[in-house]
Amino acid sequence: MCGIVGYVGKRECADVLVDGLKRLEYRGYDSSGIAVFQNGKIAVEKSKGKLVDLESKMEKQGKPQGHCGIGHTRWATHGEPSDINSHPHGNKRVTIVHNGIIENYRQIKEFLIGQGYGFESETDTETVAKLLDYFYSGDPIETISKMIDKVNGSYALGILFRDFPDTVFAVRKESPLIIGLGEGENFIASDVTPILKYTKNYYLLEYNEIAVIKEDSVTICTPEGKEIHKEVHTADWDVDAAEKGGYEHFMLKEINEQPVAIKTTIAPRIQEGMPYLEESGLTMEMLKNYRRIFVVACGTAMHAGLVGKYVIEKLARVEVTVDIASEFRYRDPLIEKEDLVILISQSGETADTYAALKMAKERGADTLGIVNVKGSTIARESDIVIYTHAGPEISVASTKAYSVQLSIMYLLAFELAYAKGAISKERCMELTKQLADIPEKLNEVLGIKERCQFIASRLVNAESLLYIGRGLDYALSMEGSLKLKEISYIHSESYAAGELKHGTISLVTEDMPVIAVATQSNLLEKTISNVKEVKARGAKVNVICTEDVEIGKDVANHLIKIPKMEDLLMPLLAAVPMQYIAYYTAVLKGCDVDQPRNLAKSVTVE
Ligand code: M6R
């Protein structure tokens, strides 16, 4: 959940670290800090709050000067956000930054207290720093190896040893870490975004590999000290992709990037008008033989799975179970060897989704990762991986990642339905063609932002909202509701429209605005009946529907009309007004849209 950077080279290290942390701030933003070698000593600066707080502290007090150091942006797990709990941690001899959770930190702490060590912070990280100090023998590799033997849990660590003032050491287990390879300078980072400005080449650090990073060399070795030769990867994201590019917020930029993201994701997977997923290793033969499908994910990615369920079951007539990963991993699901388990994850690092992947593999099912971040853990460990090509998604609220996840679920559903003989080749081609037309239609939908701004102005003072819909509209309304809660802090709930009168309608008053999604032609009449029911109880109702639908003022207060396409594909279009409404409501409320309170982009802890 935290972001790590490290630098060795000729540049002013503090500047490189702070710039890198800005790009990683989405991973956690309750405190930050850096440690830099200054005249042979480790100088540390840290501060509670956003990175700007650290910057202004350093402006007043002066920043550490030097060319080798590490930095951290934190999402608190052990101990509240405070100056003392901020990273880096350690002492004058060993200083570290850490992303992950040390499970046995209490035992280690007790042991070290017994050895005479004192502790300042409430963090698990400080125990690792002091443990490294305890083991330190003058040989960093040996010291890190001993630490690896004693520590349980997940970690990516950037480490400075006072005796090695030109070197950053790094090691990881479960939490991600890459080594950026520059010219006369090298880096460590939690993902590629901090290095893109300087280089696109990097190594992926594997479990318990130890990296020794100097300005003109990078050596990777095993805990036993055996050197490892690594493959150099090249990032295909460019530096602009991780900039706001003139938009006020990353979220707005990412909403607007959806047509291109979808096009880039689906174009290479359509051949001669048919879905083509074989390149990723998913053959027609395999698809034909799967008995059941499980989709496991968290948050927005799980909502993409719900849309996928409707579409796959409708077209391919294959049973699909969608699970929240944190539930799936503990509910002892009935997975068999003939099943396919799909893990959807933007980051590819979500701890619960990763645990679900491991469990599915243990039970012998095929695993398919639908992942955005190249080389991430879920991508690397799934049997089959289909990358979504959304580019970096920086805003904590997921938008374009959702659309590309949906696009892959559609292609998969079409191909599966064809493989199972449930639809003809002509129908498969027709659906694929409509999917390929989505980016163009989306450009039209992006034009309705003023309408959504207006609706947002009506919601801004609400304490609670209800999202309703049926079928695919219900699946989508869950995502709309999550988006609003996440960034505007207005409570909302999504409800199957037909279920309202079994209890929840008692909440409806004139103070509870309703957003109804009504894009499914076969369910339109039914949904409109439900809209009338809430309107009759005083609710102000906003309906998202297709342009051909006429709904009177007596039924809905405001309409948002979007182009009409095949019912099955409507979630891709209707997602945009949902995203805009959440975005503009949060903006009007003055919320921190890209970095909502208590959240982090990548949830690498359970
Ligand atoms: O990286 P992942 O897709 O695995 O993340 C899953 C969720 O944490 C994520 O979708 C979260 O719900 C978003 N912040 C919602 O906007």
Side-chain angles (χ1 to χ4, degrees), residues 447-521:
I448 60 168
K449 74 166 191 275
E450 266 105 34
R451 185 87 191 126
C452 299
Q453 252 169 322
F454 167 76
I455 305 282
S457 71
R458 306 275 137 167
L459 304 178
V460 75
N461 294 318
E463 275 182 12
S464 188
L465 239 85
L466 204 54
Y467 283 76
I468 60 170
R470 285 170 176 258
L472 276 170
D473 289 332
Y474 173 44
L476 178 68
S477 71
M478 290 188 203
E479 175 56 10
S481 168
L482 174 67
K483 217 84 304 170
L484 186 85
K485 279 188 275 225
E486 187 176 21
I487 58 170
S488 76
Y489 316 144
I490 297 178
H491 169 259
S492 76
E493 212 177 320
S494 66
Y495 230 77
E499 180 68 6
L500 275 178
K501 50 178 136 352
H502 298 285
T504 304
I505 201 164
S506 67
L507 292 174
V508 174
T509 65
E510 57 188 18
D511 296 325
M512 162 92 76
V514 172
I515 297 186
V517 193
T519 69
Q520 299 297 298
S521 46

Side-chain angles (χ1 to χ4, degrees), residues 3-267:
I4 288 181
V5 285
Y7 176 75
V8 200
K10 299 218 161 24
R11 298 174 205 265
E12 202 49 67
C13 184
D15 296 341
V16 178
L17 296 178
V18 169
D19 184 70
L21 290 178
K22 277 188 188 145
R23 290 158 210 283
L24 292 178
E25 212 180 2
Y26 71 89
R27 300 179 72 91
Y29 34 83
D30 57 44
S31 49
S32 56
I34 61 170
V36 173
F37 274 108
Q38 180 170 270
N39 303 324
K41 290 194 179 132
I42 303 172
V44 175
E45 281 299 341
K46 47 193 192 175
S47 170
K48 177 187 167 188
K50 295 272 177 91
L51 201 54
V52 288
D53 298 307
L54 175 68
E55 283 183 287
S56 58
K57 191 171 179 185
M58 292 199 294
E59 241 166 58
K60 282 187 210 124
Q61 301 177 3
K63 62 184 175 202
Q65 309 277 313
H67 304 281
C68 174
I70 51 181
H72 188 266
T73 178
R74 178 172 187 245
W75 187 88
T77 56
H78 297 68
E80 58 169 12
S82 69
D83 283 3
I84 285 190
N85 287 334
S86 310
H87 299 211
H89 286 286
N91 56 21
K92 292 194 170 79
R93 197 157 69 149
V94 187
T95 296
I96 69 169
V97 288
H98 167 222
N99 173 27
I101 297 252
I102 305 303
E103 284 158 10
N104 58 340
Y105 83 101
R106 280 203 187 85
Q107 293 93 305
I108 297 174
K109 195 168 180 174
E110 269 166 34
F111 167 76
L112 289 170
I113 289 171
Q115 303 299 314
Y117 279 88
F119 288 83
E120 290 175 348
S121 76
E122 299 155 87
T123 64
D124 52 343
T125 304
E126 193 183 358
T127 59
V128 179
K130 301 274 162 82
L131 187 66
L132 284 164
D133 184 76
Y134 171 76
F135 284 135
Y136 187 63
S137 55
D139 178 346
I141 305 289
E142 186 188 278
T143 306
I144 294 169
S145 300
K146 286 185 178 162
M147 180 278 298
I148 291 173
D149 279 348
K150 284 280 173 289
V151 163
N152 300 332
S154 58
Y155 50 81
L157 296 172
I159 310 168
L160 301 181
F161 290 97
R162 184 193 53 200
D163 299 343
F164 296 81
D166 59 351
T167 312
V168 170
F169 296 86
V171 62
R172 77 171 274 255
K173 183 183 161 206
E174 297 199 1
S175 306
L177 202 67
I178 60 139
I179 315 293
L181 307 167
E183 294 276 322
E185 57 185 356
N186 293 304
F187 309 79
I188 62 168
S190 296
D191 70 33
V192 293
T193 52
I195 67 161
L196 292 174
K197 227 168 130 174
Y198 314 100
T199 178
K200 290 201 166 189
N201 296 334
Y202 64 95
Y203 291 144
L204 283 166
L205 204 61
E206 301 289 345
Y207 285 14
N208 288 339
E209 288 179 349
I210 301 170
V212 182
I213 301 131
K214 297 174 184 284
E215 74 172 37
D216 48 12
S217 70
V218 172
T219 316
I220 316 272
C221 65
T222 64
E224 295 72 40
K226 191 166 172 283
E227 198 172 329
I228 303 166
H229 295 284
K230 304 278 294 178
E231 180 193 347
V232 177
H233 293 263
T234 305
D236 51 15
W237 293 351
D238 62 41
V239 69
D240 295 344
E243 307 275 353
K244 278 193 199 147
Y247 285 92
E248 202 182 333
H249 297 103
F250 277 111
M251 182 176 176
L252 188 59
K253 177 182 178 234
E254 288 159 7
I255 290 173
N256 280 275
E257 282 173 344
Q258 291 179 105
V260 173
I262 294 176
K263 203 170 179 172
T264 320
T265 298
I266 62 172

Side-chain angles (χ1 to χ4, degrees), residues 553-567:
K553 276 267 171 234
D554 53 325
V555 177
N557 299 76
H558 304 291
L559 300 183
I560 300 178
K561 293 203 169 187
I562 55 175
K564 179 157 178 61
M565 293 197 79
E566 176 90 33
D567 275 5

Side-chain angles (χ1 to χ4, degrees), residues 410-424:
Y410 281 113
L411 282 178
L412 184 66
F414 302 163
E415 188 157 10
L416 180 69
Y418 178 58
K420 291 269 183 191
I423 59 171
S424 65

Side-chain angles (χ1 to χ4, degrees), residues 251 296-303 344-351 353-354 370-373 378 393 395-399 401-402 405 479 482-483 486-487 596 599-603:
M251 182 176 176
V296 191
C298 302
T300 292
M302 190 273 292
H303 293 156
I344 309 181
S345 177
Q346 187 286 129
S347 62
E349 300 293 348
T350 302
T353 311
Y354 176 50
I370 299 178
V371 178
N372 195 45
V373 177
I378 294 171
E393 191 180 61
S395 178
V396 167
S398 187
T399 52
Y402 177 69
Q405 287 159 355
E479 175 56 10
L482 174 67
K483 217 84 304 170
E486 187 176 21
I487 58 170
L599 290 174
K601 181 79 182 158
S602 173
V603 185

